[in-house]
Amino acid sequence: MTSLNVTRLAEPLGAEITGIDVSGPVDAALIGAITEALLDHHVIVMRDQTLTPEQQVTFSRRFGDLVVRVSGEFLHPEFPEVLILSNRQVNGQYAGATAAFAGELWHTDLTYAERPSMGSMLHALEVADEGGDTAWANLYLAYETLPEETRRRIDGLKAIHVRDRRRNPRGAITDSGGIDVDKYYSVKVTDSVHPMVRTHPVTGRKSLFATPRFAVAIEGMDDRDAQPLLDELFAHQINPVFIYQHKWRVGDLVFWDNRCTAHLAVGGIVAPGIRHLHRTSIAGDRPF
Ligand code: SIN
């Protein structure tokens, strides 16, 4: 088994890996070691990677098929598996998704899908001096620290996950960055219903599985009961003791496990800072 140089970054989750280069051929032993690090630390930061979009796609595919987002906006023109996140303005338009379309509310990627993404990778090409961090929360810990009574209450419940922010009571878009929100959400996407307590298919551990970005209601429960319960869970899952906040460096390739974490684009980029990243998402299983 290949051994990696892994350093834990924060108590609840997150680790840094140095001394590897994933731009070229990567052997199965290294893929195995990275997978193990992901399962142990939930968010892994591979430093100093120089990757073209094609190389990022090739490396990401080693962990499974890639997901192409349902709407065409912000996708790389040659590699649609790559979502561009950017606050750079080109001819009065953003060169990629800004936070309103990728990350300004706590979420787990693509949970509106029947089979949400198992993990995502974000590669930093340019970073701002100030602001633009990403925060991740450990949802195993969030589940394990819920009061016993709440755990019993949500065990067996299912949340309804919706892509369209216009249908989310917590989702009002305050700054669309010039994007036509109605057009963006005109693509028909069927809602998905997922257990609120998810069992990780590899580790077998349970985690809380509902975030304010996508979980808008609870199946079979009146909103008068469901919304306060969701509020309580959403407040609980972002306790700082569950969180690692990442300050990006150029060349970071961060790989996170969507089956036990949620994340947030923290924002606060100070002008003229430019933050330009490429994201790939790996297909996953139906949550159980
Ligand atoms: C995302 O939600 O995938 C992007 C997070 C970020 O931009 O920090």
Side-chain angles (χ1 to χ4, degrees):
M1 166 66 78
T2 300
S3 72
L4 288 176
N5 190 1
V6 181
T7 310
R8 187 80 174 193
L9 287 167
E11 177 75 24
L13 76 169
E16 174 186 83
I17 298 178
T18 53
I20 61 171
D21 175 1
V22 302
S23 65
V26 177
D27 65 22
L30 182 53
I31 295 294
I34 290 170
T35 303
E36 194 172 308
L38 181 73
L39 294 172
D40 289 346
H41 303 285
H42 324 315
V43 176
I44 52 176
V45 180
M46 292 169 262
R47 299 284 192 195
D48 306 316
Q49 303 302 311
T50 305
L51 298 175
T52 63
E54 185 174 16
Q55 287 167 331
Q56 182 173 345
V57 165
T58 302
F59 177 63
S60 305
R61 276 213 186 107
R62 299 294 301 278
F63 300 89
D65 292 337
L66 301 190
V67 182
V68 176
R69 295 237 297 198
V70 291
S71 53
E73 286 92 344
F74 319 125
L75 303 183
H76 190 282
E78 284 168 73
F79 298 95
E81 302 90 341
V82 173
L83 172 72
I84 302 170
L85 308 179
S86 185
N87 65 333
R88 168 171 290 112
Q89 296 246 15
V90 180
N91 301 327
Q93 294 234 311
Y94 284 106
T98 52
F101 300 95
E104 82 181 349
L105 299 174
W106 278 97
H107 66 288
T108 298
D109 289 329
L110 309 170
T111 64
Y112 55 80
E114 194 186 346
R115 293 166 189 269
S117 160
M118 66 74 87
S120 300
M121 289 191 201
L122 206 44
H123 183 224
L125 301 173
E126 286 175 75
V127 302
D129 285 343
E130 229 182 297
D133 294 359
T134 306
W136 279 270
N138 180 333
L139 298 184
Y140 289 136
L141 293 181
Y143 173 71
E144 288 159 6
T145 54
L146 281 171
E148 174 70 35
E149 193 195 319
T150 312
R151 283 213 300 270
R152 265 203 306 272
R153 191 170 173 213
I154 63 173
D155 212 17
L157 290 180
K158 292 183 171 179
I160 300 169
H161 294 243
V162 172
R163 172 174 176 265
D164 187 343
R165 276 183 72 164
R166 296 169 306 174
R167 291 173 48 213
N168 183 336
R170 299 169 186 81
I173 295 181
T174 50
D175 178 9
S176 73
I179 291 290
D180 181 341
V181 175
D182 291 330
K183 179 168 170 284
Y184 183 79
Y185 287 120
S186 63
V187 184
K188 273 253 168 296
V189 177
T190 311
D191 300 342
S192 288
V193 177
H194 296 305
M196 294 177 69
V197 179
R198 178 175 192 177
T199 304
H200 194 291
V202 183
T203 66
R205 280 177 77 185
K206 288 182 173 182
S207 65
L208 183 58
F209 189 57
T211 62
R213 168 63 187 86
F214 295 120
V216 305
I218 298 175
E219 188 181 54
M221 190 184 282
D222 191 288
D223 255 352
R224 279 171 300 191
D225 295 321
Q227 294 307 327
L229 176 56
L230 289 171
D231 281 336
E232 183 188 323
L233 297 171
F234 296 158
H236 173 79
Q237 68 186 205
I238 56 168
N239 185 320
V241 299
F242 308 143
I243 291 174
Y244 163 61
Q245 183 161 329
H246 183 63
K247 172 130 193 74
W248 289 93
R249 292 186 206 159
V250 169
D252 285 348
L253 176 67
V254 179
F255 185 14
W256 64 92
D257 190 338
N258 279 315
R259 300 163 297 184
C260 58
T261 64
H263 58 283
L264 172 79
V266 175
I269 298 172
V270 175
I274 295 292
R275 178 186 194 261
H276 195 94
L277 303 101
H278 283 169
R279 196 184 88 183
T280 38
S281 286
I282 300 145
D285 305 321
R286 187 196 300 267
F288 59 89

